[in-house]
Amino acid sequence: MEPNSNFTENQLLLSSAQLQEQLDQQKALASVIVRIRESLDLETIFQTTATEVRLLLNADRVAVFQFDLEKDWEGEFVSEDVAPGWTSALEVKVYDHCFGEQFASSYQQGRVQAVADIYNAGLSDCHAAILSKFQVKANLVVPLSRQKELWGLLCIHQCGEARNWKESEIEFIRQIADHLTVAIQQAKHLHEVQLQAAKLAQAAQRDQVIAQIVDKIRSPLNIETTLKTTTQEIRKLLQADRVAIFSFNADWSGNFVAESFAEGWTPLVGVQPTIFDTYLQQTQGGRYVDNETFTVNDIYQAGLTDCHVTLLEQFQAKAFATAPILQGDKLWGVIAAYQNVSPRQWQSYEVESLTKIGTQIGVALRHYKLLAHAQYQAEQQKTLTSVITRIRESLDLDTIFQTTVTEARKMLQADRVAVFQFDPQKDWEGEFISEDVVAECNSVVAEKVYDYCFGENFVHLYAQGRVNAIADIYQAKFPGCYVQILEKFQVRANLVAPLLKKGELWGLLCIHQCTASRHWQPSEIEFASQIAEQLGVALKQDSYLKQVQMQVIQLAEATEREKAMERQELLAATIDKIRQSLDIKTIFRTTTQAVRELLEVERVAIYRFNADWSGKFVADSFKDGWKAVAQAQPMIIKTFEDTDDDNELPRNETFVPIRQGEKLWGLLVAYQNSQPRYWKEEEVNLLAQVAVQFGIAIQQAELLEQTKRQTLELTQALQELKQTQTRLIQGEKMAGLGQLLAGVAHEINNPVSFIFGNLIHLEEYTQELLNAVKLYRQNSSLSPTIQKEIDIDNHDLDFIIEDLPKTLDSMKVGTERIHEIVLSLRNFSRTDEAELKAVDIHEGLDSTLLILGHRLKNNNQRPVIEIVKEYATLPLLECYPSQLNQVFMNLLSNSIDALEEKFKAIQQRYLKLSQKCPMIPLTIWISTQTINNQIVIRIADNGLGIPEEVRSHIFDPFFTTKGLGKGTGLGLSISYQIVVEKHHGQIKCSSKPGEGTEFLIEIPSNN
């Protein structure tokens, strides 16, 4: 009985332990279920479950593994509870390439894997290696699914030893996994609900922001501010790097007109030139015309053309989304959002927001255009009213014209508005009489125009009141002659309205666009027509006004005739006064005063012309309260115009010519300064008669002055004759000196050539004789008698042998020196080179220095004068060589004289101080160079220099500072003539007293 009793007891104990284990499992399961229900945070649920399960099962690690759905069964542990001493497996990426082949399908069916010992379970090597990585020896794995898809694994690891997993443990873990699956499913639903709520909140926020942007777009700001504000707000909404608005031109090119961009990016507005997109130009707007959007998430992966990618790279864009801006049915532009940092996946709601904003911008542009058009029409009416008011207020046609063209140009924003008047005496010839023009275009006022095509093509149309509107003169198929006339005035687009006076074509109102073509709007054409009509009214008023004024003048003429007789009597008295004096100033004073009193004017003045038709007032008589105009600076009077109809209009002055014989000497002018005056014919005739007598008096005075002037000119001619005579004498002396030098050189050259030629033979003969003597001395045994004779005076013979070659060499050097001197004399004189010849300037300088060599050497009066030559490489100069040598001789001689005077002055100073005179360097520098096709020769010395009052006269004839008999004063004068007149060059002198003097000669190399 005792064994049965023990068995029963053990069975009871086992059942009790199992019950306790099941009870603990149920408690843990209930705790997990409660936590799942209490918390919606998946991480908290996982962590709580792992901790409870590990404590209950007494495992080394309990962890939750999650697969990455976008990768092939790769994943990581997202939660765990691990016993002390074992490595954490969190965030370790795991990829088992065997998993998909061996376990994926089993786990998807809900199978549980229980491995008591990984090394005896027949696992693949790769699977065992992964488990070993986490120190696993026994493994219990339950799948976690979500909507029938394998989401992850619940893993229980025994790391210290192998372990046989009980069925109850496996079932417990399966139940835990089921509840975790529910929690995962709940978390997903919660995430979807939260995401949907976030989307709804974002959509509401976007709609609110878009509503705010629309309100700003519709606010009464200018369009530039509106576009700028829109780009700023939409960039904040989309969180883009740049939002820009692009406007198309007529040819489907375009420019960025507004933008907002994040810090660090380059602006596009005002920086990028006009953009020419060939696709948009060829398709005339492409998809945007059909109100389609265009999005690119990565410009390098979207299959764009190379030119398109290059253009986007200029914008620094890597992704973009664009929507069209339609102004009514017309494509106006594009609004674009750019992502510059990296590619971007554009969401549909973002593109939709961009489209909405583009639509609202189009509405705003249309409203702005309508408002601008209404404002423009209001301005037109305002301008028209202003012109009509000016016409009614003023009777001056010029003022009306000028006011009209100024107001019209500002209104139409044209480059030029001008009034053209036809000359009724000529066949449709005329000129512009009034204009308002921008600074960039030329003025056309007073330009005479004759278009022989005009009468054939346009007269009858303009006479009917037709307005001619030309958008581009090169597209209007005009005759060539008409285009040439318009080109002359820089016209590209033309709007012309006729000016009619009493039903006849009087002129034209011309509106010009010079910088570019222009499409004239119907409102602009109507405005120009209305302005021209009002100017026609002004022309009629002006015509009536002139008729009334002429009638008043005719009534006054009867009164003036009575005064005419009195004026004739006064005229005779005035002529008498003019003839009584030959003094021109007295004549001026008498005439102006008498004429002023005669015509009862406020001023009479005499204006004299200069040779260039400028002039000045030389005399005037004026009424009290006015200032004199005589003694004023010379001026050109532009208001004096001699036209046939001048007297038809009131003017402040009238004038008649004063002629000295057949020559126009000046003008006799009568002024009415206080107000315009109608000058009567008899008044002008009276002035003309006075002017005739005045011209006679001036001619008499001029004859007297001419006699005096001729006397003075004869005196000056006599003086110049004397100077010329002296120069000719000097020239003859130089010519004679040249002939003499040439003759001497020739005479010396013949004997010197004879001597030089024979020296060569003499040297050979002498050497042969010396060789013979040497041979005799070396062979004394052969001729003892001769040797004895040679040895009689052996010492003298040795000296002769040594000195004779030296003597011959000295003779050779002497003859070469004489030859050089002869050559220099010939180069200096150059009697055979009186005409132009290309020569080396350096030869002339060196020849002159050689001739002056005796003056450069030291003597008992002064030390040697050093010559410093700095010759550049020069081309041959075509010149008169002998004359240039004379210039060099004059300049170098003057430099030597200056250095001698300097030495003498310094030496005298030290003699007076009883001190020893130090070494005084005396130097002449000669340099040559080529500068800008000019041969430049500088001759400088360190003499005493020339005072300024002397330097300014050194080139004057007969001017000299040398003592009597030492200089004629013609050297530098002749040098000046040779350089300037003969060689078309320049000769200049610069000097600093006490430091020296430099003469600079410039002669054109292509003289």
Side-chain angles (χ1 to χ4, degrees):
M1 290 294 293
E2 186 175 351
N4 292 333
S5 176
N6 290 337
F7 175 77
T8 302
E9 185 178 353
N10 291 335
Q11 191 175 19
L12 288 173
L13 290 172
L14 182 61
S15 298
S16 176
Q18 289 175 346
L19 288 172
Q20 184 64 41
E21 182 180 0
Q22 290 176 358
L23 180 61
D24 292 339
Q25 288 176 353
Q26 289 301 317
K27 286 181 179 180
L29 182 62
S31 175
V32 169
I33 293 170
V34 170
R35 291 297 180 89
I36 291 172
R37 290 176 178 176
E38 288 179 349
S39 174
L40 293 176
D41 180 24
L42 204 59
E43 292 183 4
T44 303
I45 294 172
F46 285 161
Q47 190 61 49
T48 301
T49 303
T51 302
E52 296 285 346
V53 171
R54 193 186 71 77
L55 293 175
L56 180 65
L57 297 182
N58 196 22
D60 294 328
R61 182 188 295 116
V62 174
V64 177
F65 183 85
Q66 181 182 2
F67 290 109
D68 188 340
L69 299 179
E70 295 182 356
K71 299 183 180 179
D72 186 18
W73 305 114
E74 183 178 338
E76 62 181 348
F77 290 98
V78 296
S79 184
E80 75 170 352
D81 188 70
V82 63
W86 303 108
T87 305
S88 172
L90 281 179
E91 298 183 357
V92 175
K93 298 286 184 182
V94 176
Y95 176 66
D96 182 1
H97 61 84
C98 307
F99 181 84
E101 302 173 1
Q102 300 180 4
F103 305 106
S105 60
S106 299
Y107 284 136
Q108 285 175 342
Q109 296 171 7
R111 177 183 172 186
V112 177
Q113 185 189 39
V115 178
D117 187 344
I118 65 172
Y119 300 108
N120 296 314
L123 300 177
S124 64
D125 293 339
C126 60
H127 195 179
I130 290 174
L131 293 173
S132 298
K133 178 179 178 182
F134 299 114
Q135 305 167 304
V136 177
K137 290 194 170 126
N139 189 24
L140 177 59
V141 181
V142 180
L144 300 175
S145 300
R146 186 179 67 184
Q147 294 180 341
K148 298 182 181 182
E149 289 184 358
L150 186 59
W151 180 90
L153 303 171
L154 176 61
C155 303
I156 296 91
H157 293 162
Q158 201 69 32
C159 300
E161 58 186 355
R163 175 173 176 171
N164 290 318
W165 303 98
K166 300 176 183 179
E167 287 295 330
S168 60
E169 293 174 334
I170 295 171
E171 181 61 27
F172 171 70
I173 294 302
R174 182 182 285 114
Q175 292 176 358
I176 292 292
D178 290 341
H179 287 289
L180 286 180
T181 299
V182 172
I184 292 170
Q185 191 67 33
Q186 288 178 350
K188 180 184 178 184
H189 291 324
L190 176 62
H191 177 71
E192 289 176 349
V193 170
Q194 290 175 340
L195 186 62
Q196 188 68 24
K199 287 183 178 180
L200 291 173
Q202 289 177 355
Q205 183 181 5
R206 285 196 304 274
D207 291 341
Q208 184 179 2
V209 172
I210 290 174
Q212 293 174 354
I213 294 173
V214 170
D215 287 340
K216 291 180 179 179
I217 290 174
R218 293 179 178 178
S219 62
L221 298 173
N222 64 66
I223 195 66
E224 290 80 7
T225 305
T226 300
L227 296 180
K228 179 66 176 177
T229 304
T230 301
T231 57
Q232 292 172 349
E233 297 296 332
I234 198 70
R235 189 176 71 80
K236 291 178 184 177
L237 177 65
L238 299 181
Q239 295 296 305
D241 293 328
R242 186 196 308 275
V243 172
I245 294 175
F246 183 84
S247 173
F248 288 111
N249 298 324
D251 61 352
W252 297 104
S253 63
N255 301 87
F256 287 101
V257 295
E259 68 174 335
S260 174
F261 54 90
E263 185 177 356
W265 302 109
T266 304
L268 301 179
V269 175
V271 176
Q272 281 287 341
T274 299
I275 297 169
F276 296 91
D277 188 323
T278 53
Y279 169 75
L280 293 176
Q281 289 180 313
Q282 291 171 359
T283 59
Q284 301 208 344
R287 60 174 63 83
Y288 298 122
V289 175
D290 300 325
N291 201 20
E292 295 179 10
T293 60
F294 186 32
T295 58
V296 170
N297 299 328
D298 187 337
I299 65 171
Y300 300 108
Q301 304 297 328
L304 302 177
T305 60
D306 292 342
C307 61
H308 197 173
V309 172
T310 302
L311 185 63
L312 291 168
E313 287 176 342
Q314 294 177 9
F315 305 157
Q316 304 173 296
K318 290 186 172 61
F320 67 88
T322 56
I325 299 173
L326 296 172
Q327 189 177 13
D329 296 332
K330 179 184 176 183
L331 179 62
W332 180 88
V334 174
I335 182 169
Y338 295 103
Q339 197 68 25
N340 299 347
V341 176
S342 62
R344 172 170 174 170
Q345 185 75 29
W346 298 99
Q347 303 300 320
S348 59
Y349 66 83
E350 294 174 329
V351 179
E352 183 182 353
S353 299
L354 205 62
T355 303
K356 291 179 180 178
I357 295 299
T359 302
Q360 293 300 322
I361 292 174
V363 173
L365 287 169
R366 183 167 178 79
H367 289 171
Y368 179 79
K369 181 179 179 181
L370 293 173
L371 178 62
H373 183 68
Q375 291 176 341
Y376 184 72
Q377 287 182 328
E379 288 295 327
Q380 283 185 342
Q381 291 303 317
K382 183 179 177 182
T383 302
L384 184 61
T385 303
S386 174
V387 171
I388 294 171
T389 303
R390 294 294 181 90
I391 290 173
R392 291 175 178 175
E393 289 177 351
S394 176
L395 295 175
D396 180 25
L397 206 55
D398 291 337
T399 303
I400 293 172
F401 285 157
Q402 192 58 50
T403 302
T404 302
V405 296
T406 303
E407 296 289 341
R409 194 191 69 76
K410 290 179 181 177
M411 182 65 243
L412 296 175
Q413 293 295 305
D415 294 330
R416 181 191 296 117
V417 175
V419 174
F420 182 84
Q421 180 183 6
F422 291 108
D423 187 344
Q425 305 295 329
K426 299 180 181 178
D427 186 16
W428 304 115
E429 183 177 340
E431 64 181 343
F432 290 96
I433 59 173
S434 184
E435 73 169 350
D436 189 65
V437 63
V438 295
E440 294 78 11
C441 297
N442 298 332
S443 173
V444 298
V445 170
E447 283 283 348
K448 297 288 185 181
V449 177
Y450 175 67
D451 180 6
Y452 60 86
C453 308
F454 183 82
E456 301 174 2
N457 301 307
F458 303 104
V459 169
H460 64 285
L461 298 175
Y462 285 132
Q464 296 171 6
R466 175 181 170 183
V467 177
N468 194 11
I470 305 301
D472 190 334
I473 65 171
Y474 299 111
Q475 305 297 327
K477 298 181 180 179
F478 280 143
C481 56
Y482 192 59
V483 173
Q484 289 177 1
I485 290 175
L486 293 176
E487 285 177 340
K488 177 181 178 182
F489 302 130
Q490 305 169 291
V491 177
R492 183 67 184 271
N494 193 24
L495 178 59
V496 181
L499 300 178
L500 302 175
K501 179 180 178 182
K502 296 180 180 180
E504 295 182 357
L505 185 59
W506 179 91
L508 303 172
L509 175 63
C510 302
I511 296 128
H512 295 161
Q513 199 70 27
C514 301
T515 53
S517 59
R518 174 171 175 173
H519 181 73
W520 303 101
Q521 301 299 322
S523 59
E524 294 173 334
I525 298 172
E526 178 62 25
F527 173 72
S529 179
Q530 292 175 347
I531 291 291
E533 184 178 345
Q534 294 301 322
L535 288 179
V537 173
L539 288 170
K540 291 179 183 177
Q541 290 180 353
D542 180 69
S543 177
Y544 295 146
L545 177 62
K546 287 182 179 178
Q547 289 178 6
V548 172
Q549 289 173 342
M550 288 301 296
Q551 289 173 359
V552 173
I553 292 172
Q554 289 172 0
L555 291 173
E557 285 179 352
T559 306
E560 289 297 325
R561 290 192 190 96
E562 297 178 2
K563 296 182 180 179
M565 297 301 297
E566 299 176 7
R567 289 181 182 137
Q568 290 299 325
E569 295 174 1
L570 290 174
L571 175 61
T574 301
I575 293 171
D576 224 21
K577 292 178 181 180
I578 292 174
R579 293 179 176 179
Q580 286 175 3
S581 175
L582 289 176
D583 180 24
I584 198 69
K585 293 182 179 179
T586 304
I587 294 173
F588 287 162
R589 183 174 61 255
T590 304
T591 303
T592 53
Q593 183 177 353
V595 172
R596 184 177 64 81
E597 294 172 354
L598 189 63
L599 296 181
E600 298 178 355
V601 293
E602 293 167 352
R603 184 193 303 276
V604 172
I606 298 172
Y607 182 81
R608 181 173 184 178
F609 289 114
N610 297 325
D612 60 353
W613 298 106
S614 64
K616 65 179 180 178
F617 289 98
V618 295
D620 67 338
S621 174
F622 51 90
K623 194 175 180 179
D624 292 341
W626 301 102
K627 295 181 180 180
V629 295
Q631 308 302 323
Q633 293 294 325
M635 64 186 76
I636 298 176
I637 305 299
K638 296 183 179 179
T639 58
F640 290 162
E641 298 179 357
D642 189 10
T643 57
D644 295 338
D645 58 346
D646 278 346
N647 294 328
E648 295 180 5
L649 299 174
R651 304 186 314 186
N652 290 97
E653 84 285 330
T654 187
F655 54 89
V656 294
I658 300 172
R659 297 185 178 276
Q660 185 181 357
E662 297 297 325
K663 178 183 175 184
L664 180 61
W665 182 92
L667 301 173
L668 178 60
V669 191
Y671 290 96
Q672 192 72 22
N673 295 335
S674 57
Q675 62 184 6
R677 171 172 171 171
Y678 283 93
W679 300 95
K680 302 175 181 58
E681 185 178 356
E682 58 268 20
E683 292 175 335
V684 177
N685 289 337
L686 179 64
L687 270 179
Q689 294 176 31
V690 173
V692 170
Q693 297 301 322
F694 187 59
I696 294 171
I698 291 174
Q699 191 167 9
Q700 291 175 352
E702 286 289 332
L703 288 173
L704 179 60
E705 185 67 24
Q706 185 177 357
T707 303
K708 295 179 181 179
R709 188 167 57 251
Q710 288 176 348
T711 303
L712 180 61
E713 289 174 354
L714 288 173
T715 305
Q716 292 176 348
L718 181 61
Q719 184 67 20
E720 291 176 1
L721 208 56
K722 291 180 179 179
Q723 293 178 5
T724 304
Q725 183 181 10
T726 307
R727 288 175 183 165
L728 289 173
I729 293 171
Q730 180 70 15
E732 288 298 326
K733 286 182 179 178
M734 291 304 298
L737 177 61
Q739 294 289 343
L740 177 62
L741 289 176
V744 170
H746 179 72
E747 292 301 326
I748 294 175
N749 190 51
N750 287 336
V752 167
S753 298
F754 174 77
I755 295 171
F756 187 76
N758 288 329
L759 276 175
I760 298 173
H761 302 296
L762 182 61
E763 186 177 9
E764 293 176 357
Y765 300 157
T766 303
Q767 189 61 44
E768 290 178 1
L769 289 174
L770 291 176
N771 290 339
V773 171
K774 183 178 180 181
L775 186 61
Y776 274 113
R777 296 182 71 180
Q778 290 175 353
N779 299 280
S780 57
S781 59
L782 298 176
S783 303
T785 306
I786 297 174
Q787 182 64 36
K788 182 177 179 181
E789 291 294 330
I790 292 173
D791 290 339
I792 293 175
D793 195 355
N794 191 40
H795 178 72
D796 292 340
L797 184 59
D798 289 339
F799 174 77
I800 292 170
I801 292 172
E802 180 181 355
D803 190 57
L804 187 56
K806 294 180 179 179
T807 302
L808 289 173
D809 288 341
S810 298
M811 293 172 65
K812 188 175 181 181
V813 170
T815 55
E816 288 176 352
R817 176 62 178 163
I818 294 171
H819 182 70
E820 289 176 359
I821 292 172
V822 169
L823 183 61
S824 296
L825 290 174
R826 292 184 61 187
N827 285 339
F828 181 79
S829 63
R830 291 188 182 266
T831 56
D832 57 338
E833 298 175 7
E835 300 300 327
L836 280 172
K837 184 176 182 181
V839 298
D840 184 357
I841 287 296
H842 296 153
E843 288 184 2
L845 287 167
D846 291 340
S847 299
T848 306
L849 287 172
L850 190 62
I851 292 172
L852 293 172
H854 67 287
R855 294 197 62 190
L856 300 174
K857 297 177 181 179
N858 61 334
N859 52 42
N860 56 357
Q861 300 293 329
R862 56 159 177 78
V864 67
I865 296 176
E866 182 184 1
I867 300 296
V868 178
K869 293 190 286 188
E870 297 178 2
Y871 289 171
T873 302
L874 300 180
L876 296 180
L877 177 65
E878 190 172 352
C879 63
Y880 297 96
S882 62
Q883 294 185 14
L884 276 186
N885 289 342
Q886 183 179 350
V887 174
F888 300 151
M889 176 67 77
N890 291 336
L891 296 181
L892 289 169
S893 297
N894 287 344
S895 293
I896 294 171
D897 292 342
L899 293 173
E900 288 178 346
E901 288 179 9
K902 174 183 178 180
F903 183 83
K904 185 175 180 182
I906 295 175
Q907 191 178 43
Q908 290 294 331
R909 189 188 314 154
Y910 279 95
L911 284 175
K912 290 181 181 179
L913 297 174
S914 300
Q915 295 180 4
K916 184 180 179 182
C917 182
M919 282 294 296
I920 302 171
L922 305 177
T923 309
I924 296 176
W925 291 271
I926 305 174
S927 66
T928 61
Q929 62 184 132
T930 303
I931 301 176
N932 297 329
N933 296 324
Q934 299 274 338
I935 302 296
V936 180
I937 306 160
R938 289 183 171 86
I939 299 176
D941 62 65
N942 61 345
L944 293 175
I946 304 174
E948 180 58 30
E949 61 272 15
V950 174
R951 191 191 65 80
S952 60
H953 296 287
I954 59 174
F955 295 116
D956 295 346
F958 305 106
F959 180 82
T960 180
T961 58
K962 298 178 182 179
L964 190 61
K966 292 187 177 180
T968 63
L970 290 172
L972 290 179
S973 174
I974 292 173
S975 299
Y976 183 87
Q977 286 183 335
I978 291 173
V979 173
V980 176
E981 297 178 8
K982 285 283 190 177
H983 293 85
H984 308 291
Q986 294 184 12
I987 180 169
K988 302 175 184 176
C989 174
S990 58
S991 179
K992 291 185 179 179
E995 296 184 14
T997 303
E998 179 183 82
F999 282 90
L1000 181 142
I1001 302 172
E1002 293 182 352
I1003 299 176
S1005 58
N1006 56 349
N1007 188 34

